Structure formats: C-alpha cells, structure tokens
Amino acid sequence: MFKSFFSKVILTFTLIVVVVIASIVFAQNYYYTNLYIQNVLNEIEEEANDLAQKVGDYLENPTYSYQSKYVKSLDFISQKYNALVWIMDTDGNIIISQGGDISFSGKKIPDIALSKYLNPVLQGHTVRTADFFRADESDPIVTICVPAKSGGEVAAIIAVNTHVANLSNFTKTISKSMWMLPFVAFFIAALFVVIASGYISRPLQELNKLAIEAGKGNFNYRYDINSQTEIAHIGENFNKMMSRLSKMEKFRSDFVQNASHELKAPITVISGYCQALMDESLDEDKRKEYLNIILSETDRMKQLIETLMSLSRIESGNDVLNKEHFNINEVLSQKLLAFEFEIEKKALGIEINYESDVLEVCADKAKIEQVIINLLQNAIKYTREKDKIIITTRQVKAKAYIEIMDTGIGIDEKDLDSIFDRFYTVDKAKTPGKSGSGIGLSLVKNILELHESQIFVDSEKDRFTRFYFYLDM
C-alpha cells in the first residue's frame, strides 16, 4: 500500500491539508472565543457606565422619569447578559439587586471585598475582576464595578456579575459549526489533491518511461516538453542525454562495423600469405617477399589500432593535454626525415617555407606530432611521382600558422565536407592503388579541437590540396 509515487503524493497532501485545517480551526476557535468574551465584557462595561450615568442623574434629581430610565437599563443588562446587577451605596450596602436566583437586596459587601475591590471604584476607577466571588474555576464569575457620580462625587457603585459560561455559550455553538469545516474542506481538498497529484506525477511517470526505454536500448524515445517547470528542464536534459546516447550507439555500431572491415583487410592478406608460406616449393626470395608483406600489413594493423585507441580516448573525454613550449619547425623537419624513404621512392620535391628558424608553440607535442604525421602521410600518398610537397610556417598575430600542401590529385569538392568524418574515404575508383582507414583526418580534427583549434582544407581537383591550422604560441 502507498508504494507508488502518485499514492504517496495523495497521502502527503491529504495529511498536510488535515493538519493545516485542524490547526486553523483550533487557533481560530481559541482566538474567536477569547475575542468574543472580551468584546462582550467591554459591552457590559459600556452598559454599566450608562446605568451609572442614569443612577447619578436620579440621585441628583430623584423623579419618576429618571427612576424609570435606570430601572429599564437595569432590567436590560440583567436579561441580555443573564447577569446579577447590584446598585450599592458607598459603604457597600446593596440597595437594589436585579437578576439571579437569590436577591441580595439589603445585604452588605464584606469589608475585605470593599477594601480590595470597591475602594478603587470609590476613587473613580472601573474594576474588572474574576475574584470577587469564590466560584468553580471551570466557570468563573466576572464582576465589573463602575462608579455612579452625583454632584461630581461618587455616590453609588454599579456592579454587574456574570458567568463566563453564559458569555461563551454562543461561541460554543459557533465552534461546533466550525468543526464541520475540516470535513467539508477535506472532501474539497481531496478532489484537488487527486488532480494536483496527477499533474505532478504524470511528468515523472513520463520520465520513468523514458528511463525504461533507455534501459531497453531504445534511444529514440523523447520526453514531451510542454511547460517551463523544473521537471520539464529535467526532461529536456534527459532528451539531450538520449540524443547523445543515440549518437554514441550509432557511433559504436559504425565503429565496430568499420573497424572490423578495416582490420579484416590486413588480416585477410596476412592469412593468405601465411598459407602461401606453407608451400615447401617456395624459394628463399619469394619467402622473404611474403614475410615482408606480412610484416607491412602487421605494421598497418598496429597503426590502425593505435589510431583507433587515440581517437576513442579523445572522443570519450578521457584524454588530457600535456602542453609544453617547443619549436614546431623542428618537429616538421624531423617528421619529413622519417618519411625520407617514401619521398625518395616517389621522387617528390620538398619545399620548406619557414618565416624564421624558430617558431615556438604551446601545445601537446606528442599529439601535434600525430597531426603532422597524418597530414604528411596523406600528402605523400595522394601526390603523384615527381610532384611537390610544400611546408609553410609563420606567425599570424599571436598564433602560429602551419600549412602542409601537395600538388597531387586533389579532392573532389563534394568530398571536402566529409573527409574529417570517421571512416570516410574518397571514391577509391578515382584513386587507384590508394587505401586508407578514413580515421587519420578524424583524429587530426579531434586533436586540434582538443587544442581549441581547427583544421582547414582547400583543394582543387588534379592541382593541389592544402591543409592548415593555427596553434597558440
């Protein structure tokens, strides 16, 4: 029970509603009862002062008209507030007693009560106390005493005695009605809670469905964003994650397929020549030739695997740069020497255009060497015999400009936007005898992006191809 998020939200909201409403009713009941009693006591005090004024008028002019006025006022207070009303002289003798089950007319207030409660009244003050009568603490009697003046002097005392229970009877009736509010409010709130809970839990259920689909490998599922709430922002981030997972899954699939295809070629060659070597009739020259081919294909496969690993580390974000200051011209010259055999074999011309002997850059030397190796390999591979490779470096503002150009077969314009994609190779029918994995330029692009730079290319079919990039100095 209450295992789902929806049911937990309903239970939580319901408890909150009940607690809040009950607290409000308790506080309101307490505040309203006390406020009502205080207001009634203030009204009684006003009525007592009015009675005192009429009694004072009668004492100054004892006629029937004045007497009838204070008698009516006396009856009104007694009946309205169910009170016991006394009119006393200054010695504490009760002259008139109105209301109550017992008449106190002719009786005298004890001296201790006269001293404690009535003396302040004789001095012109109003006294309000619950200690005048010794009554049940659960139902105290409040006494309000006011002076009645005649000729500017206190001539009599008006005392109104009433049970607090009499004053609170009305509030008890109201309180009973108020206690119906929680039940009414609960059913109304329950309806809104169900609606609000559904509104809150529905997007979470959608997110859960998205996570389930992701777990199944369905990365094409998307969260429907139709608001600007925090959950919608989470859904937007989930959609971005799904898009990236979808791209990663496609990359993984393409990577496995293309890598398998690229590795299959040298493995097939190696396997074929290994079988040929088992022929005992082969002479020594053929055997050495086959072994050299096997060694060449092995090196090719090793280089391919190393390139794939480098590319994978960079794209996964696990590779970091170890920047240092070094002379880029020196690196270019060293790598040209490393390809001396291939260059001489094709009788290629090399033109060096260094603006200065030293052009210092700040970069990861090992990774920039990989960039230069891949660009030189491409230049040598796609340059015809006796053509030229041109290396240019110079300072451009605060950057080092590096260019590797060949006067080779060029690249079709339609291929220029795709040559940096993984495993992309130009139409091999148009480049007979040439083979490549299609990941060298992708590695170049990723390494330079890691350096916050980029690789540029210009080419014209059958005329030239120029790669160039910039590095920090």
Side-chain angles (χ1 to χ4, degrees), residues 313-343:
R313 282 196 302 270
I314 293 173
E315 293 190 338
S316 66
N318 295 326
D319 209 349
V320 294
L321 294 178
N322 296 312
K323 286 190 175 183
E324 58 180 301
H325 291 276
F326 60 92
N327 184 3
I328 190 66
N329 293 344
E330 184 180 344
V331 173
L332 285 163
S333 299
Q334 288 175 351
K335 297 310 168 187
L336 276 172
L337 288 174
F339 289 105
E340 185 177 9
F341 176 77
E342 289 86 348
I343 292 171

Side-chain angles (χ1 to χ4, degrees), residues 185-376:
F186 173 78
F187 288 109
I188 296 174
L191 176 63
F192 287 102
V193 164
V194 171
I195 297 173
S197 299
Y199 179 78
I200 293 173
S201 63
R202 193 175 300 111
L204 293 177
Q205 291 171 351
E206 284 294 315
L207 287 177
N208 183 54
K209 186 176 180 181
L210 184 144
I212 292 172
E213 292 297 322
K216 294 178 180 178
N218 177 18
F219 302 122
N220 295 319
Y221 188 85
R222 294 293 182 270
Y223 177 83
D224 184 19
I225 300 173
N226 51 18
S227 66
Q228 293 297 321
T229 62
E230 290 83 354
I231 295 178
H233 289 308
I234 294 173
E236 185 178 1
N237 290 328
F238 263 86
N239 285 346
K240 291 178 181 178
M241 179 191 72
M242 293 290 277
S243 296
R244 181 154 181 80
L245 287 173
S246 180
K247 290 179 181 178
M248 289 177 64
E249 176 61 20
K250 186 177 184 305
F251 168 69
R252 183 197 65 80
S253 178
D254 292 345
F255 185 89
V256 171
Q257 181 178 353
N258 290 306
S260 299
H261 175 74
E262 293 298 332
L263 290 170
K264 185 178 180 181
I267 290 174
T268 301
V269 172
I270 292 171
S271 176
Y273 280 101
C274 284
Q275 290 178 6
L277 285 171
M278 296 176 66
D279 186 355
E280 296 179 356
S281 64
L282 281 178
D283 57 33
E284 189 64 25
D285 291 337
K286 279 290 182 182
R287 192 178 299 278
K288 287 182 179 180
E289 181 185 347
Y290 291 173
L291 287 173
N292 285 329
I293 293 173
I294 292 173
L295 183 61
S296 176
E297 292 299 317
T298 302
D299 290 339
R300 177 186 166 196
M301 189 163 55
K302 179 182 177 183
Q303 184 181 4
L304 175 61
I305 292 172
E306 288 176 352
T307 305
L308 287 172
M309 291 178 65
S310 297
L311 186 60
S312 177
R313 282 196 302 270
I314 293 173
E315 293 190 338
S316 66
N318 295 326
D319 209 349
V320 294
L321 294 178
N322 296 312
K323 286 190 175 183
E324 58 180 301
H325 291 276
F326 60 92
N327 184 3
I328 190 66
N329 293 344
E330 184 180 344
V331 173
L332 285 163
S333 299
Q334 288 175 351
K335 297 310 168 187
L336 276 172
L337 288 174
F339 289 105
E340 185 177 9
F341 176 77
E342 289 86 348
I343 292 171
E344 289 181 354
K345 186 177 179 180
K346 297 181 71 172
L348 299 177
I350 302 296
E351 181 179 324
I352 303 295
N353 296 320
Y354 294 161
E355 186 179 58
S356 60
D357 292 336
V358 177
L359 182 61
E360 195 172 77
V361 297
C362 181
D364 188 314
K365 186 176 181 180
K367 288 182 172 56
I368 296 302
E369 286 178 347
Q370 284 183 288
V371 170
I372 293 171
I373 289 171
N374 278 285
L375 294 179
L376 287 175

Side-chain angles (χ1 to χ4, degrees), residues 446-470:
N446 279 272
I447 289 175
L448 290 175
E449 285 180 350
L450 201 60
H451 284 79
E452 297 181 353
S453 181
Q454 54 183 315
I455 184 73
F456 301 94
V457 60
D458 291 328
S459 185
E460 189 174 328
K461 189 64 177 173
D462 294 323
R463 288 196 61 194
F464 73 91
T465 299
R466 176 173 58 240
F467 290 94
Y468 60 97
F469 58 93
Y470 296 86

